[in-house]
Amino acid sequence: MSYIISITRKDIPKIDKLAWVLLDKLILREKKKKPKQDFLDLIEKLISKYQCISKLSDDDIDNGVWSDGPLINNAGHDITTLGLVDNKVDEVLPFIISMANKNGFVVFDKQTNIIHRTDNKKMRWVWLISLVLSIVAFLYLIPNSVYNLSPLIFSILGAAISMLFLIQFFYDFRNIQDYHDKVEHGNDTKFKILAVSSIPLAFILYMTFSMNFAFDKSNEIEEYGMKTEGTIISANVTNIRRKTGSGKVFYAKVKFVTENGKTIISEEQITEEDYKNLIIGQQIELSYSIKDPKLIKLKMK
């Protein structure tokens, strides 16, 4: 008897039971297809250490590790199947797995029902660094003048991007199908916890970015603020819809003239009560930043 392993490329489902189903399909459609060069190259690397039995002399044939030969004939189009001599498995199998994974392949071991996948640690570092950079960017690097264009959108965008990088750090989904497979067929407690906690985590990130901008804006107006009077020219409401419920954000748009004679129209978020009491055309006191007059703080009564 021989110990049979199958080798495929790494673009297979991340859920094991789906990967085994795909393996069976690959085996069925493999017939009469020309071998691909990457599989041929892999076999060359394997036999550079463990010689093909077709090259061994009659005296050395019993020391061979492969159960058939020439081994190069085993190279396939989408799958390569190799057989090992039973008493050489413990010695040779770790080398095959290591060499295959290093070259971007996945090893299926039917005897143990284990799939030996590549552990892409580099991508995990990429996602972790991206997560940190996204949080730093939305907290510190985006200027208040840019953030002020739409604090709501920037806060939501920052939360969404950060959550995406966080999820990718744990699972490194290659495409949307990987995610759907995990949802439909996965049985991972860590994934379930992350899925349940994603909404509150996203909300916490949203509030963090939003409050940080409000804090920075308040500090800038306090340090570089100039008082004046403006005119309310409009008021509007933005409806927010999310899984946890819906809500409303209220804004007042005001027109004023800076000390340099420049006419500015800017918008600030207000409370629902202030929105109800607002009168279009009324005069209102405000402070603006001389660094960026678009940053304003209304003095609501």
Side-chain angles (χ1 to χ4, degrees):
M1 288 185 65
S2 58
Y3 195 100
I4 304 298
I5 58 170
S6 299
I7 301 174
T8 71
R9 298 179 184 86
K10 63 181 179 181
D11 53 342
I12 62 169
K14 290 195 171 186
I15 304 299
D16 281 0
K17 61 183 178 182
L18 298 180
W20 284 110
V21 171
L22 176 61
L23 178 68
D24 291 337
K25 292 180 180 178
L26 291 176
I27 293 173
L28 289 175
R29 72 185 191 198
E30 187 67 20
K31 295 179 180 179
K32 297 182 180 180
K33 287 188 176 182
K34 292 183 179 180
K36 284 291 188 73
Q37 188 60 47
D38 54 352
F39 283 122
L40 294 170
D41 293 340
L42 175 63
I43 289 180
E44 288 292 344
K45 292 174 182 178
L46 296 177
I47 60 179
S48 67
K49 181 170 183 177
Y50 294 102
Q51 198 169 11
C52 178
I53 60 172
S54 64
K55 300 294 184 180
L56 296 176
S57 65
D58 292 341
D59 294 334
D60 293 331
I61 194 72
D62 290 337
N63 295 321
V65 304
W66 310 106
S67 62
D68 67 325
L71 200 67
I72 203 71
N73 292 342
N74 291 25
H77 187 272
D78 292 311
I79 182 173
T80 289
T81 301
L82 302 176
L84 297 173
V85 177
D86 283 341
N87 62 1
K88 298 291 184 177
V89 172
D90 292 342
E91 174 190 349
V92 182
L93 185 57
F95 171 74
I96 296 175
I97 293 170
S98 175
M99 184 62 69
N101 288 168
K102 189 184 299 183
N103 286 274
F105 295 98
V106 176
V107 179
F108 288 77
D109 186 341
K110 285 189 175 182
Q111 286 76 190
T112 60
N113 204 37
I114 294 175
I115 301 174
H116 300 276
R117 304 171 183 271
T118 55
D119 185 9
N120 199 346
K121 294 181 180 179
K122 289 183 179 179
M123 280 308 301
R124 290 187 182 275
W125 278 107
V126 169
W127 294 125
L128 178 60
I129 293 171
S130 299
L131 171 62
V132 173
L133 289 178
S134 66
I135 293 175
V136 170
F138 281 91
L139 284 179
Y140 304 110
L141 301 183
I142 298 178
N144 287 336
S145 57
V146 175
Y147 222 116
N148 192 54
L149 295 174
S150 182
L152 177 65
I153 291 178
F154 274 102
S155 297
I156 292 174
L157 182 64
I161 291 174
S162 299
M163 280 303 301
L164 173 65
F165 290 146
L166 178 64
I167 293 171
Q168 286 296 84
F169 168 69
F170 283 108
Y171 291 99
D172 189 27
F173 293 125
R174 297 161 302 184
N175 47 51
I176 195 65
Q177 187 59 49
D178 274 355
Y179 173 77
H180 287 319
D181 288 344
K182 194 73 174 176
V183 171
E184 294 179 17
H185 304 282
N187 188 24
D188 187 338
T189 302
K190 183 175 65 174
F191 179 76
K192 292 178 180 177
I193 293 174
L194 185 61
V196 171
S197 62
S198 61
I199 293 176
L201 278 174
F203 181 73
I204 290 171
L205 285 168
Y206 160 75
M207 290 301 298
T208 300
F209 296 137
S210 181
M211 292 174 65
N212 180 74
F213 166 68
F215 180 75
D216 286 347
K217 175 182 172 182
S218 179
N219 282 348
E220 182 170 329
I221 292 177
E222 185 176 342
E223 185 174 355
Y224 302 101
M226 181 69 67
K227 292 183 178 180
T228 189
E229 196 171 73
T231 304
I232 299 294
I233 59 174
S234 67
N236 60 77
V237 183
T238 299
N239 292 308
I240 302 175
R241 299 184 184 277
R242 49 182 180 263
K243 291 183 179 180
T244 54
S246 59
K248 296 181 178 181
V249 181
F250 303 89
Y251 294 95
K253 185 174 288 187
V254 62
K255 180 179 181 180
F256 64 96
V257 179
T258 68
E259 64 173 350
N260 298 326
K262 185 178 181 180
T263 300
I264 300 293
I265 296 177
S266 189
E267 195 173 54
E268 186 183 30
Q269 184 176 331
I270 58 176
T271 65
E272 182 177 4
E273 183 180 354
D274 289 334
Y275 174 81
K276 291 178 179 178
N277 296 327
L278 212 59
I279 300 174
I280 305 301
Q282 77 178 79
Q283 297 296 109
I284 188 169
E285 291 183 33
L286 62 89
S287 296
Y288 67 90
S289 168
I290 58 175
K291 288 180 63 178
D292 178 14
K294 287 282 188 178
L295 294 179
I296 64 172
K297 184 175 182 181
L298 301 178
K299 185 177 180 180
M300 309 300 297
K301 296 180 180 180

